[in-house]
Amino acid sequence: MREGQVVAADPFVAMFNPATAAQTTHLIIAAYIVTGFAVAAYYAAARLRGHDSRYHRRAMLLGLVMGTTLSPIQAIVGHWSGQMVARTQPVKLAAMEAQFAVQRGAPLRIGGWPDQEKGVTRYALEIPKLLSYLAYGDTDAEVLGLEAFDRNDWPPVAVVHVAFQAMVGIGTFFILIALWSTWSWWRKRRLPDSKIYLGTLVIAGPLAALVMEAGWVVTEVGRQPWIVQGYMRTAEAVTKAPGIWVAFWITFAVYAVLTVGTIVVVRILASRPLPEEVHGA
Amino acid sequence: MEPELVVLIVMMVGITLYTLLGGADFGAGVWEFNTALRAPERERELIYRAIGPIWEANHVWLIFILVGLMNGFPTALAGLSRALWVPLFLALAGIVFRGVGFAFRSYAAGHVRQQAAWGAVFAFASTAAPFFLCAAVGAIASGRLEVSADGTFHGHHLTGWINPLSAYGAFFGVGICAYLAAAYLTREADLLGDEALLATWRRRAIGTGLWMGVLAAAGFAVMTFTAPELWNSFKARAWPLLGLSVLTGFGSLYALWKKHLLSAVIGAASTVSAVIWGLAVAQYPALIPPHLTIQTSKAPDNVLWTMVVGIAAGGLVLLPSLLYLFYLFKGRRPRASQTAR
């Protein structure tokens, strides 16, 4: 770039940068996990309400298989993603893990609330040396904490850290569901029938949507204040035109109308058989 | 050949296809609007059957044009976004609600009042979309958009797009859509063997065609008084295309009169395309006259060439598929499921 203008760009380097492979895989798998658990949740809820036909059980199994087989794989891909972030965006890693100090043998924090002003994270369960090991493969590796970077380049630490903990927490919960289901299948040749199990699957549905959103928050908010890392800050990119809030609220209203309309139409579709001829759409 | 010209031509093809395909889709809704939503059910059925299989594919061209602009001529897109956000936002609302109206109307089959409500949404939105899109085109063509060569906009952020040529463009655009739709639907009625519908649409197509002729003449007057540089460009460089448009326009009317309906459709498509390319030739090389040109707004050469290769590769898959789609649903083949009523 020269004086704020892009003078040369390599689209292939941009599209296939070091983070691309890990991120893309992580995202694709996430999509399947969310879909799987959403489907399973719907049919688990139907079964709890008494609709317990073969169709319902098969449908639930289909969603469950998709969600549970991919969850452990996603943990491995997530680890790969984390290693890429440690290499290419160390500030983001520091925020994710709420690691303020530059430290050899840095601990992995589970939970905890980062105090951005004071530069310290409280109430966390710390597992010594584990962060260094996970990020760099060496228990004594140096992890660049937030203090290694200019404060103006810090993302909102609490938001990123909480989102990251939520994502990993829910992901672990899904792996536990996977273990529960697999254990039952191995021992009893069928899935658990209990209301607790079905209820767990029901909450897994919205949790799946939440885990995906949490992941997005980690990666997008974690990149702040940059919109193009190293080249352009979000504050520089935003338009200076007036009336943005108006446009935002109008768009919000339009989507609200569309959401209501979609729900109404989907309920109509669900409640009656389709007519012989439906043109298009 | 310079890469920016290649990208430009590809985008012009995209604009042409969007007008000919998406415009007809909009036109179908415009006719619902025109007939004050009181058209008989059989007429509606013809419309929905005609656009049902293809309408989603048709509106992809708009995205293609915008992405092409964004990657090929980013400064131009920046300038247009700042200057034209009001009409583009309204056009977008039209496009969104049009699709929603169409889809929800189909799915609410049996709930008569809901269907009527969504049908009304479809009709109104289908008219609003080309109205505001073509107002935007008119605003650009008028040369009165205060966009400097680096893309900054100096006009009023709410009303800077309103001028005589943009107002004219809005009505002309709706007319184009109505004409294309009427011509295509006349042929659809003929393929179905429905004499009554054929007569209705033929009458409407001829009527709209004559009205478009009057409107076009009015357009020359509007340009002469409010955008003389553009009119001079038309006369100097784009007169062959203007002549072609007039000829094929009369040709399509004649073909409609004589019931040579495939010729009528080709004629209608040609007359509209000639207007679009004529405007492009007259305006060249400015993307946003008078200051923002192709040269000042284009992306670096390697980006442009990457786009060309990408589009070519995508086109290899897209174009045969699209042609097949149209062949299946629009070709003159015996169709067992459709019987004249």
Side-chain angles (χ1 to χ4, degrees), chain B residues 144-179:
Chain B
R144 293 190 189 190
L145 279 182
E146 293 162 49
V147 176
S148 51
D150 65 351
T152 46
F153 177 58
H154 307 287
H156 192 273
H157 76 284
L158 285 177
T159 60
W161 58 282
I162 302 175
N163 61 57
L165 199 59
S166 68
Y168 171 78
F171 289 99
F172 190 68
V174 175
I176 285 180
C177 294
Y179 183 55

Side-chain angles (χ1 to χ4, degrees), chain B residues 62-269:
Chain B
L62 183 65
I63 302 172
F64 178 73
I65 295 161
L66 286 172
V67 172
L69 202 61
M70 177 172 79
N71 289 303
F73 305 97
T75 323
L77 183 74
L80 291 175
S81 312
R82 293 180 184 115
L84 294 174
W85 74 273
V86 171
L88 290 178
F89 195 82
L90 292 170
L92 182 65
I95 292 171
V96 166
F97 279 108
R98 186 188 165 274
V100 164
F102 185 74
F104 287 7
R105 187 195 164 278
S106 322
Y107 288 144
H111 292 63
V112 178
R113 276 181 58 193
Q114 260 214 38
Q115 279 201 305
W118 290 119
V121 169
F122 169 73
F124 192 73
S126 297
T127 312
F131 186 85
F132 289 109
L133 281 175
C134 296
V137 172
I140 299 171
S142 70
R144 293 190 189 190
L145 279 182
E146 293 162 49
V147 176
S148 51
D150 65 351
T152 46
F153 177 58
H154 307 287
H156 192 273
H157 76 284
L158 285 177
T159 60
W161 58 282
I162 302 175
N163 61 57
L165 199 59
S166 68
Y168 171 78
F171 289 99
F172 190 68
V174 175
I176 285 180
C177 294
Y179 183 55
L180 286 173
Y184 295 1
L185 285 166
T186 311
R187 181 167 175 270
E188 292 277 329
D190 183 49
L191 288 178
L192 280 179
D194 190 325
E195 286 297 322
L197 278 179
L198 171 66
T200 308
W201 283 110
R202 180 168 160 269
R203 180 173 34 89
R204 286 180 179 159
I206 293 176
T208 314
L210 291 170
W211 170 235
M212 288 308 292
V214 170
L215 210 55
F220 298 146
V222 173
M223 270 197 288
T224 311
F225 289 112
T226 69
E229 322 80 28
L230 181 67
W231 180 227
N232 288 333
S233 275
F234 260 111
K235 284 190 290 187
R237 286 192 291 195
W239 63 265
L241 286 162
L242 273 187
L244 184 66
S245 180
V246 171
L247 275 175
T248 49
F250 278 118
S252 70
L253 281 175
Y254 179 73
L256 278 168
W257 180 254
K258 287 290 195 182
K259 297 195 187 175
H260 299 312
L261 293 167
L262 187 58
S263 308
V265 162
I266 295 174

